Amino acid sequence: MAAEEIRKVNSEAYPMKGGDGPYSYSKNSTYQREAMESTKELVTKEIGEKLDIDHLLPSNVFHIVDLGCSVGPNTFSSVENILEAVLLKYQSQGPMNPQIPEFQVFFNDHTPNDFNLLFKSLPPNRQYYAVGVPGSFYGRLFPRASIHLFHSSFALQWLSEVPKEVVEKNSPAWNKGRIHYLSSTDEVVRAYNAQYVADMECFLHARAQELVDGGLMVLIIPGCPHGTSVSDTMAYLTIQLLEACLIDMVTKGVVSEEKLDSFNMPMYIMSPLELEAVVERNGCLIIETLKTLSHVLGSDTVLNAKLFASHGRAGFERLIKQHFGEEILDELFDLYHKKFEEELSIVKPRKASSFLVVLRRKAK
Amino acid sequence: MAAEEIRKVNSEAYPMKGGDGPYSYSKNSTYQREAMESTKELVTKEIGEKLDIDHLLPSNVFHIVDLGCSVGPNTFSSVENILEAVLLKYQSQGPMNPQIPEFQVFFNDHTPNDFNLLFKSLPPNRQYYAVGVPGSFYGRLFPRASIHLFHSSFALQWLSEVPKEVVEKNSPAWNKGRIHYLSSTDEVVRAYNAQYVADMECFLHARAQELVDGGLMVLIIPGCPHGTSVSDTMAYLTIQLLEACLIDMVTKGVVSEEKLDSFNMPMYIMSPLELEAVVERNGCLIIETLKTLSHVLGSDTVLNAKLFASHGRAGFERLIKQHFGEEILDELFDLYHKKFEEELSIVKPRKASSFLVVLRRKAK
């Protein structure tokens, strides 16, 4: 039976902090918004050039998916940007084009994401039918050949789970005293890399099945673009500082050594080369565009330690709370803020660390 | 622009009580479950007979919508029942039928419905891709010609809003001292009827646009079947008792007279004749089946005052709370329970009061 093919992924969920309180992702995602704003023009241009409408027709509905949508103002503005770009493309075919479709937008995130808030926040004058889709994007989420355009912004850095070996005491890849693979041993790096490859294979396999022939994926990935070393990336800095804070708290006796040893960040800072390799092995998709986003760190707000720290809290709080408990949150993130202030000189010259990829589904 | 057609309905939301606490709809919907169980066989038979697969093909996805899904075990079992019936129909076309589609199920309810709980409760071994759709079913929810089967169970008795005249002091239809049109003046009855007709016209108009040619609607409606008088229905009894409780509380001084005067239940107990008239005026749909459901009150659990009262609370609590405030809830529903116990003799001989309608979209 066809429906039995639906693959369930027991992926861990790391949703951003819900609600709209002071530490919520909803209130702490201006950094991501800037990145998005800065890519707006680029995304519009890419869709204009790469979307092959004639091939996609005939269809009276155009399906757009936002993978890892979280909840907040960015969710809707990125989708609207894409919708406008698609609409422009249709309109460019002729002013009275009768084939302009209706739009249905699927907002996807892990099941614990705050969909109630997302639905409550939907723009009242939207030009699309809105739908929520719970589940991990490392598994199938949609029927075969049903999606015209996937979008994902700042979500693909999350692995489906922490590689098991790095938290096993008897494994050569045990990552004692650290919370990630960056500047760790070769074994730990290999374990994280294997997890990344396995996850990305699942991701591309699922999307290739779900995309219509000629359908596009527009991905904004915080990673390690060509010509950048991992240690130059913002992700590296944020994780290094978080690790330093946790180590301080172990020294102070607030957090046990064992707790720290058993905690790792399920994050991977991919490079375009690594992505290209997985896309090639998958075989169903073509990379149309791969561009470094170099303007993310251009604005003043980005150089604000408080903003950085609150963004870090919105992104990491649930993960930290789940493992270390709620009681350490305030102390940890106060420390995090202080460390960011001390390190502001390091933040300043830091290079951009995300890239845009546009992929197209080959004809079946 | 096509997308501008999307009609927004400023419908009031009356979702069932969320969460999974003792008074939640999730824990207090066994009555609805029984009704559903009792119609299971009938629904399967109807889909087997009325679903015209050859006409619906070619499509690799079959879209099912549950309108007014609320949240609880019933939500999933009714959808699974329908899915199985559709699957049976496809399989009956031949054991190796290569055209068995994948299923996507859209769970719809008002925006304040607890979608977070709904998503968390999704059956892990489901044979469909699950999606949540927030919004009133009295407006458009889906793109044109995109749905194969709509289902709705125990939801269409809710009006989009209380007719305005019945709460206006200077209107001849002012419904002073009562909470509904049943056993009220002709003016009030007319106002409620006009609201019902307007709402049902919107409902059918929206669904007719959203259904594919030949697509079906399977509706279970608590109403007033052929040969039943309104005063014999369960709905009548539950509302009458609620009204009596509120009047008692006005007498006791717990609730002000003004509060009672400005409260009305946005519910209509429709008859098949009324439904037939609206369907005929709409012109895009054919009634394939219209059957009274006579077995709903057959089981022992139904004759339990406590169960009745807790069902009433799950269904009405949000509405009451919104108007009268949280503080009266416990006293009101204790009284409601007591009145039900006193009236158990009236409950017993009460006739069934729901019917099944199957509608088909005519070819455009």
Side-chain angles (χ1 to χ4, degrees):
Chain A
M1 189 166 48
E4 281 178 351
E5 274 177 27
I6 299 174
R7 205 175 140 265
K8 297 296 175 313
V9 166
N10 289 321
S11 166
E12 296 286 326
Y14 316 109
M16 302 299 95
K17 187 165 167 58
D20 52 7
Y23 301 125
S24 66
Y25 179 75
S26 171
K27 290 270 168 72
N28 290 284
S29 40
T30 49
Y31 177 73
Q32 290 87 337
R33 183 166 70 239
E34 279 193 29
M36 226 182 50
E37 283 293 320
S38 72
T39 58
K40 194 175 159 175
E41 209 176 308
L42 186 58
V43 167
T44 304
K45 185 173 155 283
E46 288 295 327
I47 289 174
E49 283 173 18
K50 306 287 159 52
L51 188 70
D52 183 0
I53 285 175
D54 297 332
H55 193 101
L56 296 181
L57 289 172
S59 173
N60 59 337
V61 194
F62 193 97
H63 291 143
I64 297 172
V65 180
D66 191 21
L67 295 165
C69 62
S70 190
V71 59
N74 297 351
T75 305
F76 305 117
S77 51
S78 63
V79 153
E80 270 155 35
N81 181 33
I82 284 178
L83 193 149
E84 287 296 334
V86 175
L87 213 46
L88 264 178
K89 177 79 182 192
Y90 272 95
Q91 283 161 345
S92 71
Q93 307 290 89
M96 294 296 287
N97 190 332
Q99 300 195 302
I100 289 179
E102 293 186 316
F103 291 90
Q104 194 167 32
V105 176
F106 296 80
F107 294 97
N108 156 259
D109 211 319
H110 279 292
T111 305
N113 184 50
D114 194 345
F115 283 97
N116 287 348
L117 178 63
L118 189 148
F119 288 165
K120 219 170 63 187
S121 329
L122 278 165
N125 298 319
R126 60 190 180 276
Q127 301 184 339
Y128 54 86
Y129 296 99
V131 168
V133 185
S136 164
F137 54 53
Y138 290 119
R140 282 286 298 278
L141 294 165
F142 300 96
R144 277 188 300 271
S146 66
I147 304 300
H148 301 90
L149 196 151
F150 280 106
H151 168 259
S152 177
S153 185
F154 288 87
L156 274 165
Q157 73 275 28
W158 293 104
L159 296 170
S160 72
E161 59 181 350
V162 168
K164 291 190 177 53
E165 313 90 284
V166 306
V167 288
E168 279 169 6
K169 272 194 183 173
N170 300 323
S171 154
W174 186 32
N175 199 21
K176 183 175 168 45
R178 296 184 178 278
I179 67 165
H180 62 102
Y181 68 98
L182 301 165
S183 69
S184 187
T185 65
D186 286 354
E187 284 85 355
V188 174
V189 172
R190 271 200 295 275
Y192 264 89
N193 178 267
Q195 184 70 50
Y196 160 73
V197 169
D199 280 349
M200 197 49 85
E201 279 174 356
C202 288
F203 178 82
L204 295 178
H205 181 68
R207 298 299 88 74
Q209 291 179 277
E210 294 163 355
L211 274 171
V212 301
D213 288 0
L216 294 185
M217 274 211 273
V218 178
L219 310 174
I220 295 169
I221 302 173
C224 177
H226 288 307
T228 313
S229 109
V230 172
S231 60
D232 284 340
T233 64
M234 273 307 300
Y236 180 85
L237 179 71
T238 52
I239 296 176
Q240 284 292 98
L241 288 184
L242 189 69
E243 183 178 279
C245 296
L246 285 166
I247 290 171
D248 278 9
M249 289 175 83
V250 169
T251 311
K252 280 196 240 167
V254 182
V255 165
S256 77
E257 210 179 319
E258 206 186 336
K259 268 277 169 207
L260 177 62
D261 289 347
S262 56
F263 179 74
N264 276 265
M265 295 284 283
M267 249 188 173
Y268 193 81
I269 316 297
M270 77 179 88
S271 73
L273 279 176
E274 287 173 311
L275 181 64
E276 281 166 352
V278 191
V279 171
E280 189 151 328
R281 264 206 307 289
N282 171 276
C284 299
L285 299 149
I286 295 161
I287 295 182
E288 290 277 352
T289 301
L290 205 160
K291 278 190 179 135
T292 299
L293 300 173
S294 55
H295 24 42
V296 172
L297 294 185
S299 100
D300 288 346
T301 47
V302 172
L303 304 173
N304 177 322
K306 198 173 169 202
L307 196 75
F308 258 138
S310 63
H311 274 59
R313 180 163 189 166
F316 301 146
E317 182 178 306
R318 278 219 198 185
L319 202 62
I320 298 282
K321 191 171 145 186
Q322 209 171 299
H323 188 84
F324 295 98
E326 187 152 18
E327 56 284 3
I328 76 154
L329 291 178
D330 285 338
E331 187 176 342
L332 176 67
F333 286 105
D334 279 353
L335 196 58
Y336 191 62
H337 178 195
K338 277 190 203 114
K339 280 205 193 285
F340 250 122
E341 267 180 347
E342 290 163 22
E343 305 282 333
L344 215 55
S345 58
I346 307 178
V347 181
K348 224 160 194 161
R350 208 149 284 267
K351 284 196 193 142
S353 43
S354 45
F355 53 93
L356 172 87
V357 194
V358 179
L359 296 139
R360 181 199 300 278
R361 178 66 170 99
K362 292 182 194 171
K364 276 160 212 113
Chain B
M1 190 164 51
E4 280 177 353
E5 275 177 29
I6 298 175
R7 204 174 141 266
K8 298 296 176 314
V9 166
N10 289 323
S11 167
E12 295 286 324
Y14 317 109
M16 302 298 97
K17 188 166 166 58
D20 51 8
Y23 300 124
S24 65
Y25 179 76
S26 169
K27 290 269 167 72
N28 290 284
S29 41
T30 49
Y31 177 72
Q32 289 88 335
R33 183 166 70 239
E34 279 193 29
M36 225 182 49
E37 285 293 321
S38 73
T39 59
K40 193 175 162 175
E41 211 175 306
L42 187 57
V43 167
T44 304
K45 185 173 154 285
E46 288 295 327
I47 289 175
E49 284 173 17
K50 305 289 159 52
L51 188 69
D52 183 0
I53 286 175
D54 297 331
H55 194 101
L56 296 181
L57 290 172
S59 173
N60 58 339
V61 193
F62 193 97
H63 291 142
I64 298 172
V65 180
D66 191 19
L67 295 165
C69 62
S70 190
V71 58
N74 296 352
T75 305
F76 305 118
S77 51
S78 63
V79 153
E80 270 155 34
N81 181 31
I82 284 178
L83 193 150
E84 287 295 335
V86 176
L87 212 47
L88 263 178
K89 177 78 182 193
Y90 273 95
Q91 283 161 345
S92 72
Q93 307 290 87
M96 294 297 286
N97 191 331
Q99 299 195 303
I100 289 180
E102 292 186 316
F103 291 90
Q104 193 167 32
V105 175
F106 297 79
F107 294 96
N108 158 258
D109 211 318
H110 279 291
T111 306
N113 183 51
D114 194 346
F115 283 97
N116 286 347
L117 178 63
L118 190 148
F119 288 166
K120 220 170 61 186
S121 330
L122 279 165
N125 297 319
R126 59 189 182 277
Q127 300 184 338
Y128 54 86
Y129 296 99
V131 168
V133 185
S136 164
F137 53 53
Y138 290 120
R140 282 287 298 279
L141 294 165
F142 300 96
R144 276 189 300 272
S146 66
I147 304 299
H148 301 89
L149 196 150
F150 281 106
H151 169 259
S152 177
S153 186
F154 288 87
L156 274 166
Q157 73 275 28
W158 293 103
L159 296 170
S160 73
E161 58 182 351
V162 169
K164 290 189 178 52
E165 313 89 285
V166 306
V167 287
E168 280 169 5
K169 272 192 184 174
N170 301 322
S171 155
W174 186 33
N175 200 20
K176 183 176 167 47
R178 294 182 181 278
I179 66 165
H180 61 103
Y181 68 98
L182 301 165
S183 69
S184 187
T185 66
D186 286 354
E187 285 85 354
V188 174
V189 172
R190 272 200 295 275
Y192 264 88
N193 179 265
Q195 184 70 50
Y196 160 73
V197 169
D199 280 350
M200 196 48 86
E201 278 174 357
C202 289
F203 177 82
L204 295 178
H205 180 68
R207 298 300 86 76
Q209 291 180 276
E210 294 163 354
L211 273 171
V212 300
D213 287 0
L216 295 185
M217 274 210 272
V218 177
L219 310 174
I220 295 169
I221 302 174
C224 177
H226 287 308
T228 313
S229 111
V230 172
S231 60
D232 284 340
T233 63
M234 272 307 300
Y236 179 84
L237 179 72
T238 52
I239 297 176
Q240 283 292 99
L241 288 184
L242 189 68
E243 184 178 277
C245 295
L246 286 165
I247 291 172
D248 278 9
M249 289 175 83
V250 169
T251 311
K252 279 196 240 168
V254 182
V255 165
S256 77
E257 212 180 318
E258 206 186 335
K259 269 277 169 207
L260 176 62
D261 288 348
S262 56
F263 179 73
N264 276 266
M265 294 284 284
M267 248 186 175
Y268 193 79
I269 316 297
M270 77 180 89
S271 74
L273 278 176
E274 288 173 310
L275 181 64
E276 281 165 352
V278 192
V279 170
E280 190 151 326
R281 266 206 306 290
N282 171 276
C284 299
L285 300 150
I286 296 162
I287 296 183
E288 291 277 351
T289 301
L290 206 159
K291 279 191 179 138
T292 300
L293 300 172
S294 55
H295 24 41
V296 172
L297 294 185
S299 99
D300 288 346
T301 47
V302 172
L303 305 172
N304 177 323
K306 197 174 169 201
L307 196 75
F308 258 138
S310 63
H311 274 60
R313 179 163 190 165
F316 301 145
E317 181 178 306
R318 279 217 197 185
L319 203 60
I320 299 283
K321 189 171 144 186
Q322 210 170 299
H323 188 84
F324 295 97
E326 186 153 18
E327 57 283 4
I328 76 155
L329 292 177
D330 285 339
E331 188 176 342
L332 175 68
F333 287 104
D334 279 353
L335 196 58
Y336 192 61
H337 178 194
K338 277 189 204 113
K339 280 207 192 286
F340 250 123
E341 266 181 349
E342 289 163 24
E343 304 283 331
L344 215 56
S345 59
I346 307 178
V347 182
K348 221 161 195 159
R350 207 149 284 267
K351 285 195 192 141
S353 44
S354 44
F355 53 93
L356 172 87
V357 194
V358 180
L359 297 140
R360 180 201 301 279
R361 178 67 169 99
K362 292 182 193 170
K364 277 162 212 108

